[in-house]
Amino acid sequence: MAYNFTYRDATTGNFLALNKGMNPLVNYNFILRVEALFDLPCKSVKSFTRENEYELIQEGGRNDYVHMRRKPISRPFTLEVERYVGVDYLDPLPNGAEPVLPIILIVSRHPDNFADVSAWARNYAFMGCVVMKKTYGELNAEQSGLLVDTTTIAYREMVCLDIPFGG
């Protein structure tokens, strides 16, 4: 007996194939975990990209086709983190530091719930990190504000992990 497969059969009751987009992730519940010991609250994490560089090679006989070959990277991938000054007694990311364990950027659906792994919705793990630069915040006597430091971290590898059952 043959079974007639339809699109409705493939998506009914199948939560992996059915993506309605009804529960998007917010961008303000995040924390940075360093050396699996320090949880660092941050003001912001600048957008980071992982871009590969390619060499374009044109064939001799055909002018409408170009080969792309990946080149070695010429500059490190970077991550910029803005943190408020005075929230820690010890800075776990001093200039020149090379953490042994990955630095993990944890994004949660619920505020202040980072101890429970099941509340995480997405995390980014940065391996092979080196703190390249620290920029100390601006001091201005004419307007009030909170003092921030910006830390630039170079990394070798990044893994993005969605946790579909988190939160």
mmCIF file of all heavy atoms in Angstrom, residues 80-119:
data_model
loop_
_atom_site.group_PDB
_atom_site.id
_atom_site.type_symbol
_atom_site.label_atom_id
_atom_site.label_comp_id
_atom_site.label_asym_id
_atom_site.label_seq_id
_atom_site.Cartn_x
_atom_site.Cartn_y
_atom_site.Cartn_z
ATOM 1 N N GLU A 80 33.642 43.199 20.503
ATOM 2 C CA GLU A 80 33.760 44.365 21.383
ATOM 3 C C GLU A 80 32.673 44.322 22.440
ATOM 4 O O GLU A 80 31.497 44.190 22.118
ATOM 5 C CB GLU A 80 33.644 45.668 20.589
ATOM 6 C CG GLU A 80 34.888 46.039 19.861
ATOM 7 C CD GLU A 80 34.841 47.451 19.313
ATOM 8 O OE1 GLU A 80 33.899 48.206 19.619
ATOM 9 O OE2 GLU A 80 35.758 47.802 18.573
ATOM 10 N N VAL A 81 33.098 44.457 23.690
ATOM 11 C CA VAL A 81 32.191 44.372 24.827
ATOM 12 C C VAL A 81 32.302 45.658 25.640
ATOM 13 O O VAL A 81 33.406 46.059 26.012
ATOM 14 C CB VAL A 81 32.556 43.166 25.725
ATOM 15 C CG1 VAL A 81 31.653 43.095 26.937
ATOM 16 C CG2 VAL A 81 32.509 41.872 24.937
ATOM 17 N N GLU A 82 31.168 46.312 25.882
ATOM 18 C CA GLU A 82 31.129 47.489 26.750
ATOM 19 C C GLU A 82 30.618 47.059 28.117
ATOM 20 O O GLU A 82 29.550 46.451 28.211
ATOM 21 C CB GLU A 82 30.200 48.564 26.185
ATOM 22 C CG GLU A 82 30.799 49.378 25.096
ATOM 23 C CD GLU A 82 29.911 50.556 24.713
ATOM 24 O OE1 GLU A 82 28.695 50.509 24.964
ATOM 25 O OE2 GLU A 82 30.447 51.518 24.167
ATOM 26 N N ARG A 83 31.408 47.392 29.159
ATOM 27 C CA ARG A 83 31.040 47.029 30.526
ATOM 28 C C ARG A 83 31.068 48.249 31.412
ATOM 29 O O ARG A 83 31.873 49.153 31.221
ATOM 30 C CB ARG A 83 32.029 45.997 31.072
ATOM 31 C CG ARG A 83 32.036 44.713 30.294
ATOM 32 C CD ARG A 83 32.879 43.639 30.935
ATOM 33 N NE ARG A 83 32.534 43.464 32.323
ATOM 34 C CZ ARG A 83 33.407 43.515 33.330
ATOM 35 N NH1 ARG A 83 34.673 43.722 33.097
ATOM 36 N NH2 ARG A 83 33.011 43.339 34.565
ATOM 37 N N TYR A 84 30.180 48.257 32.403
ATOM 38 C CA TYR A 84 30.168 49.331 33.378
ATOM 39 C C TYR A 84 31.345 49.182 34.328
ATOM 40 O O TYR A 84 31.713 48.082 34.711
ATOM 41 C CB TYR A 84 28.873 49.323 34.182
ATOM 42 C CG TYR A 84 27.658 49.653 33.358
ATOM 43 C CD1 TYR A 84 26.690 48.696 33.110
ATOM 44 C CD2 TYR A 84 27.488 50.924 32.809
ATOM 45 C CE1 TYR A 84 25.576 49.000 32.346
ATOM 46 C CE2 TYR A 84 26.383 51.225 32.046
ATOM 47 C CZ TYR A 84 25.429 50.253 31.821
ATOM 48 O OH TYR A 84 24.338 50.551 31.059
ATOM 49 N N VAL A 85 31.943 50.296 34.709
ATOM 50 C CA VAL A 85 33.077 50.297 35.625
ATOM 51 C C VAL A 85 32.549 50.226 37.052
ATOM 52 O O VAL A 85 31.555 50.853 37.388
ATOM 53 C CB VAL A 85 33.923 51.580 35.429
ATOM 54 C CG1 VAL A 85 35.023 51.680 36.469
ATOM 55 C CG2 VAL A 85 34.488 51.626 34.029
ATOM 56 N N GLY A 86 33.210 49.449 37.882
ATOM 57 C CA GLY A 86 32.872 49.392 39.294
ATOM 58 C C GLY A 86 31.938 48.271 39.688
ATOM 59 O O GLY A 86 31.503 48.213 40.829
ATOM 60 N N VAL A 87 31.623 47.351 38.773
ATOM 61 C CA VAL A 87 30.748 46.243 39.135
ATOM 62 C C VAL A 87 31.538 45.032 39.627
ATOM 63 O O VAL A 87 30.963 44.133 40.224
ATOM 64 C CB VAL A 87 29.817 45.833 37.965
ATOM 65 C CG1 VAL A 87 28.860 46.943 37.629
ATOM 66 C CG2 VAL A 87 30.610 45.433 36.742
ATOM 67 N N ASP A 88 32.839 45.001 39.387
ATOM 68 C CA ASP A 88 33.694 43.893 39.817
ATOM 69 C C ASP A 88 34.878 44.433 40.613
ATOM 70 O O ASP A 88 35.365 45.529 40.365
ATOM 71 C CB ASP A 88 34.254 43.136 38.602
ATOM 72 C CG ASP A 88 33.171 42.522 37.746
ATOM 73 O OD1 ASP A 88 32.177 42.048 38.304
ATOM 74 O OD2 ASP A 88 33.333 42.536 36.513
ATOM 75 N N TYR A 89 35.348 43.636 41.559
ATOM 76 C CA TYR A 89 36.574 43.991 42.285
ATOM 77 C C TYR A 89 37.798 43.586 41.465
ATOM 78 O O TYR A 89 38.840 44.200 41.541
ATOM 79 C CB TYR A 89 36.620 43.300 43.637
ATOM 80 C CG TYR A 89 35.552 43.788 44.578
ATOM 81 C CD1 TYR A 89 34.526 42.951 44.982
ATOM 82 C CD2 TYR A 89 35.560 45.092 45.049
ATOM 83 C CE1 TYR A 89 33.544 43.403 45.829
ATOM 84 C CE2 TYR A 89 34.583 45.556 45.905
ATOM 85 C CZ TYR A 89 33.572 44.700 46.295
ATOM 86 O OH TYR A 89 32.595 45.149 47.125
ATOM 87 N N LEU A 90 37.656 42.550 40.684
ATOM 88 C CA LEU A 90 38.742 42.018 39.878
ATOM 89 C C LEU A 90 38.294 42.014 38.424
ATOM 90 O O LEU A 90 37.195 41.569 38.103
ATOM 91 C CB LEU A 90 39.052 40.582 40.322
ATOM 92 C CG LEU A 90 39.999 39.775 39.469
ATOM 93 C CD1 LEU A 90 41.407 40.323 39.595
ATOM 94 C CD2 LEU A 90 39.960 38.322 39.868
ATOM 95 N N ASP A 91 39.131 42.521 37.541
ATOM 96 C CA ASP A 91 38.808 42.514 36.116
ATOM 97 C C ASP A 91 39.253 41.183 35.528
ATOM 98 O O ASP A 91 40.450 40.919 35.425
ATOM 99 C CB ASP A 91 39.513 43.671 35.408
ATOM 100 C CG ASP A 91 39.151 43.784 33.946
ATOM 101 O OD1 ASP A 91 38.199 43.096 33.514
ATOM 102 O OD2 ASP A 91 39.802 44.569 33.242
ATOM 103 N N PRO A 92 38.309 40.319 35.127
ATOM 104 C CA PRO A 92 38.709 39.022 34.568
ATOM 105 C C PRO A 92 39.216 39.111 33.127
ATOM 106 O O PRO A 92 39.695 38.122 32.596
ATOM 107 C CB PRO A 92 37.434 38.188 34.640
ATOM 108 C CG PRO A 92 36.335 39.152 34.782
ATOM 109 C CD PRO A 92 36.881 40.431 35.318
ATOM 110 N N LEU A 93 39.118 40.291 32.508
ATOM 111 C CA LEU A 93 39.594 40.476 31.137
ATOM 112 C C LEU A 93 40.582 41.634 31.055
ATOM 113 O O LEU A 93 40.333 42.642 30.397
ATOM 114 C CB LEU A 93 38.407 40.739 30.196
ATOM 115 C CG LEU A 93 37.444 39.585 29.976
ATOM 116 C CD1 LEU A 93 36.229 40.047 29.198
ATOM 117 C CD2 LEU A 93 38.138 38.440 29.270
ATOM 118 N N PRO A 94 41.761 41.524 31.715
ATOM 119 C CA PRO A 94 42.753 42.601 31.586
ATOM 120 C C PRO A 94 43.398 42.557 30.204
ATOM 121 O O PRO A 94 43.324 41.554 29.498
ATOM 122 C CB PRO A 94 43.768 42.271 32.680
ATOM 123 C CG PRO A 94 43.670 40.803 32.853
ATOM 124 C CD PRO A 94 42.231 40.460 32.589
ATOM 125 N N ASN A 95 44.017 43.650 29.828
ATOM 126 C CA ASN A 95 44.668 43.740 28.517
ATOM 127 C C ASN A 95 45.763 42.677 28.408
ATOM 128 O O ASN A 95 46.606 42.548 29.285
ATOM 129 C CB ASN A 95 45.250 45.140 28.333
ATOM 130 C CG ASN A 95 45.532 45.442 26.886
ATOM 131 O OD1 ASN A 95 45.114 44.720 25.998
ATOM 132 N ND2 ASN A 95 46.234 46.525 26.651
ATOM 133 N N GLY A 96 45.731 41.912 27.332
ATOM 134 C CA GLY A 96 46.716 40.858 27.106
ATOM 135 C C GLY A 96 46.314 39.501 27.642
ATOM 136 O O GLY A 96 47.032 38.526 27.440
ATOM 137 N N ALA A 97 45.188 39.394 28.313
ATOM 138 C CA ALA A 97 44.756 38.116 28.890
ATOM 139 C C ALA A 97 44.401 37.122 27.788
ATOM 140 O O ALA A 97 43.883 37.492 26.740
ATOM 141 C CB ALA A 97 43.559 38.325 29.803
ATOM 142 N N GLU A 98 44.694 35.847 28.044
ATOM 143 C CA GLU A 98 44.344 34.759 27.144
ATOM 144 C C GLU A 98 43.604 33.698 27.948
ATOM 145 O O GLU A 98 44.231 32.786 28.494
ATOM 146 C CB GLU A 98 45.596 34.153 26.507
ATOM 147 C CG GLU A 98 46.350 35.110 25.621
ATOM 148 C CD GLU A 98 47.558 34.476 24.954
ATOM 149 O OE1 GLU A 98 47.579 33.237 24.796
ATOM 150 O OE2 GLU A 98 48.478 35.229 24.602
ATOM 151 N N PRO A 99 42.284 33.804 28.049
ATOM 152 C CA PRO A 99 41.537 32.812 28.831
ATOM 153 C C PRO A 99 41.734 31.402 28.278
ATOM 154 O O PRO A 99 41.803 31.197 27.060
ATOM 155 C CB PRO A 99 40.079 33.247 28.679
ATOM 156 C CG PRO A 99 40.136 34.669 28.243
ATOM 157 C CD PRO A 99 41.420 34.821 27.499
ATOM 158 N N VAL A 100 41.824 30.439 29.187
ATOM 159 C CA VAL A 100 42.029 29.047 28.790
ATOM 160 C C VAL A 100 40.730 28.460 28.255
ATOM 161 O O VAL A 100 40.718 27.806 27.216
ATOM 162 C CB VAL A 100 42.541 28.224 29.994
ATOM 163 C CG1 VAL A 100 42.651 26.758 29.638
ATOM 164 C CG2 VAL A 100 43.871 28.769 30.475
ATOM 165 N N LEU A 101 39.637 28.699 28.946
ATOM 166 C CA LEU A 101 38.335 28.186 28.536
ATOM 167 C C LEU A 101 37.658 29.166 27.581
ATOM 168 O O LEU A 101 37.994 30.351 27.553
ATOM 169 C CB LEU A 101 37.458 27.962 29.772
ATOM 170 C CG LEU A 101 37.975 26.919 30.761
ATOM 171 C CD1 LEU A 101 37.080 26.863 31.980
ATOM 172 C CD2 LEU A 101 38.062 25.552 30.111
ATOM 173 N N PRO A 102 36.684 28.691 26.804
ATOM 174 C CA PRO A 102 35.974 29.605 25.898
ATOM 175 C C PRO A 102 35.221 30.687 26.662
ATOM 176 O O PRO A 102 34.748 30.474 27.770
ATOM 177 C CB PRO A 102 34.988 28.698 25.169
ATOM 178 C CG PRO A 102 35.501 27.329 25.342
ATOM 179 C CD PRO A 102 36.257 27.310 26.626
ATOM 180 N N ILE A 103 35.128 31.855 26.050
ATOM 181 C CA ILE A 103 34.270 32.927 26.563
ATOM 182 C C ILE A 103 32.890 32.676 25.970
ATOM 183 O O ILE A 103 32.753 32.512 24.757
ATOM 184 C CB ILE A 103 34.810 34.303 26.162
ATOM 185 C CG1 ILE A 103 36.147 34.563 26.859
ATOM 186 C CG2 ILE A 103 33.809 35.388 26.487
ATOM 187 C CD1 ILE A 103 36.797 35.874 26.474
ATOM 188 N N ILE A 104 31.870 32.640 26.817
ATOM 189 C CA ILE A 104 30.522 32.301 26.366
ATOM 190 C C ILE A 104 29.615 33.508 26.553
ATOM 191 O O ILE A 104 29.514 34.061 27.644
ATOM 192 C CB ILE A 104 29.970 31.088 27.134
ATOM 193 C CG1 ILE A 104 30.895 29.889 26.936
ATOM 194 C CG2 ILE A 104 28.561 30.763 26.661
ATOM 195 C CD1 ILE A 104 30.517 28.683 27.747
ATOM 196 N N LEU A 105 28.963 33.905 25.477
ATOM 197 C CA LEU A 105 27.952 34.954 25.511
ATOM 198 C C LEU A 105 26.600 34.252 25.574
ATOM 199 O O LEU A 105 26.208 33.559 24.633
ATOM 200 C CB LEU A 105 28.052 35.835 24.272
ATOM 201 C CG LEU A 105 27.013 36.932 24.112
ATOM 202 C CD1 LEU A 105 27.087 37.920 25.265
ATOM 203 C CD2 LEU A 105 27.191 37.637 22.788
ATOM 204 N N ILE A 106 25.918 34.418 26.699
ATOM 205 C CA ILE A 106 24.659 33.714 26.953
ATOM 206 C C ILE A 106 23.506 34.685 26.754
ATOM 207 O O ILE A 106 23.510 35.772 27.317
ATOM 208 C CB ILE A 106 24.623 33.157 28.387
ATOM 209 C CG1 ILE A 106 25.794 32.211 28.618
ATOM 210 C CG2 ILE A 106 23.287 32.468 28.660
ATOM 211 C CD1 ILE A 106 26.023 31.867 30.069
ATOM 212 N N VAL A 107 22.524 34.286 25.960
ATOM 213 C CA VAL A 107 21.317 35.074 25.745
ATOM 214 C C VAL A 107 20.147 34.253 26.278
ATOM 215 O O VAL A 107 19.981 33.090 25.912
ATOM 216 C CB VAL A 107 21.104 35.402 24.255
ATOM 217 C CG1 VAL A 107 19.884 36.286 24.073
ATOM 218 C CG2 VAL A 107 22.335 36.057 23.671
ATOM 219 N N SER A 108 19.352 34.879 27.134
ATOM 220 C CA SER A 108 18.237 34.188 27.772
ATOM 221 C C SER A 108 16.924 34.876 27.431
ATOM 222 O O SER A 108 16.899 36.066 27.106
ATOM 223 C CB SER A 108 18.441 34.185 29.295
ATOM 224 O OG SER A 108 17.333 33.617 29.943
ATOM 225 N N ARG A 109 15.848 34.137 27.515
ATOM 226 C CA ARG A 109 14.524 34.736 27.317
ATOM 227 C C ARG A 109 14.037 35.435 28.579
ATOM 228 O O ARG A 109 13.171 36.291 28.515
ATOM 229 C CB ARG A 109 13.509 33.673 26.920
ATOM 230 C CG ARG A 109 13.753 33.104 25.561
ATOM 231 C CD ARG A 109 12.546 32.335 25.052
ATOM 232 N NE ARG A 109 12.854 31.723 23.774
ATOM 233 C CZ ARG A 109 12.801 32.368 22.617
ATOM 234 N NH1 ARG A 109 12.440 33.618 22.589
ATOM 235 N NH2 ARG A 109 13.096 31.752 21.495
ATOM 236 N N HIS A 110 14.575 35.061 29.723
ATOM 237 C CA HIS A 110 14.120 35.597 31.000
ATOM 238 C C HIS A 110 15.219 36.432 31.641
ATOM 239 O O HIS A 110 16.366 36.000 31.695
ATOM 240 C CB HIS A 110 13.718 34.460 31.934
ATOM 241 C CG HIS A 110 12.777 33.486 31.285
ATOM 242 N ND1 HIS A 110 11.473 33.788 31.006
ATOM 243 C CD2 HIS A 110 12.978 32.230 30.824
ATOM 244 C CE1 HIS A 110 10.894 32.762 30.428
ATOM 245 N NE2 HIS A 110 11.792 31.795 30.296
ATOM 246 N N PRO A 111 14.891 37.615 32.165
ATOM 247 C CA PRO A 111 15.934 38.450 32.773
ATOM 248 C C PRO A 111 16.492 37.817 34.043
ATOM 249 O O PRO A 111 15.770 37.192 34.805
ATOM 250 C CB PRO A 111 15.203 39.763 33.076
ATOM 251 C CG PRO A 111 13.759 39.433 33.062
ATOM 252 C CD PRO A 111 13.590 38.250 32.184
ATOM 253 N N ASP A 112 17.789 37.978 34.215
ATOM 254 C CA ASP A 112 18.501 37.525 35.412
ATOM 255 C C ASP A 112 18.310 36.046 35.697
ATOM 256 O O ASP A 112 18.191 35.634 36.838
ATOM 257 C CB ASP A 112 18.084 38.374 36.619
ATOM 258 C CG ASP A 112 19.122 38.313 37.719
ATOM 259 O OD1 ASP A 112 20.300 38.066 37.396
ATOM 260 O OD2 ASP A 112 18.761 38.486 38.885
ATOM 261 N N ASN A 113 18.276 35.238 34.648
ATOM 262 C CA ASN A 113 18.155 33.799 34.826
ATOM 263 C C ASN A 113 19.230 33.122 33.972
ATOM 264 O O ASN A 113 18.936 32.521 32.949
ATOM 265 C CB ASN A 113 16.757 33.318 34.424
ATOM 266 C CG ASN A 113 16.511 31.878 34.828
ATOM 267 O OD1 ASN A 113 17.320 31.273 35.510
ATOM 268 N ND2 ASN A 113 15.404 31.335 34.384
ATOM 269 N N PHE A 114 20.482 33.230 34.434
ATOM 270 C CA PHE A 114 21.588 32.682 33.662
ATOM 271 C C PHE A 114 22.213 31.463 34.325
ATOM 272 O O PHE A 114 23.034 30.795 33.727
ATOM 273 C CB PHE A 114 22.655 33.750 33.440
ATOM 274 C CG PHE A 114 22.128 34.934 32.679
ATOM 275 C CD1 PHE A 114 21.828 36.112 33.335
ATOM 276 C CD2 PHE A 114 21.902 34.854 31.331
ATOM 277 C CE1 PHE A 114 21.333 37.195 32.650
ATOM 278 C CE2 PHE A 114 21.400 35.929 30.627
ATOM 279 C CZ PHE A 114 21.115 37.107 31.284
ATOM 280 N N ALA A 115 21.834 31.166 35.565
ATOM 281 C CA ALA A 115 22.372 29.996 36.242
ATOM 282 C C ALA A 115 21.729 28.715 35.721
ATOM 283 O O ALA A 115 22.359 27.667 35.673
ATOM 284 C CB ALA A 115 22.158 30.118 37.746
ATOM 285 N N ASP A 116 20.465 28.812 35.306
ATOM 286 C CA ASP A 116 19.721 27.660 34.811
ATOM 287 C C ASP A 116 19.959 27.512 33.311
ATOM 288 O O ASP A 116 19.545 28.355 32.523
ATOM 289 C CB ASP A 116 18.234 27.855 35.107
ATOM 290 C CG ASP A 116 17.396 26.673 34.697
ATOM 291 O OD1 ASP A 116 17.976 25.594 34.435
ATOM 292 O OD2 ASP A 116 16.157 26.813 34.656
ATOM 293 N N VAL A 117 20.631 26.446 32.921
ATOM 294 C CA VAL A 117 20.972 26.231 31.512
ATOM 295 C C VAL A 117 19.715 26.074 30.656
ATOM 296 O O VAL A 117 19.696 26.452 29.490
ATOM 297 C CB VAL A 117 21.894 24.993 31.363
ATOM 298 C CG1 VAL A 117 22.191 24.684 29.919
ATOM 299 C CG2 VAL A 117 23.178 25.214 32.137
ATOM 300 N N SER A 118 18.637 25.572 31.223
ATOM 301 C CA SER A 118 17.415 25.382 30.437
ATOM 302 C C SER A 118 16.747 26.709 30.086
ATOM 303 O O SER A 118 15.873 26.757 29.230
ATOM 304 C CB SER A 118 16.430 24.492 31.197
ATOM 305 O OG SER A 118 15.979 25.144 32.369
ATOM 306 N N ALA A 119 17.156 27.820 30.717
ATOM 307 C CA ALA A 119 16.595 29.133 30.401
ATOM 308 C C ALA A 119 17.347 29.821 29.264
ATOM 309 O O ALA A 119 16.884 30.822 28.744
ATOM 310 C CB ALA A 119 16.616 30.025 31.636
#
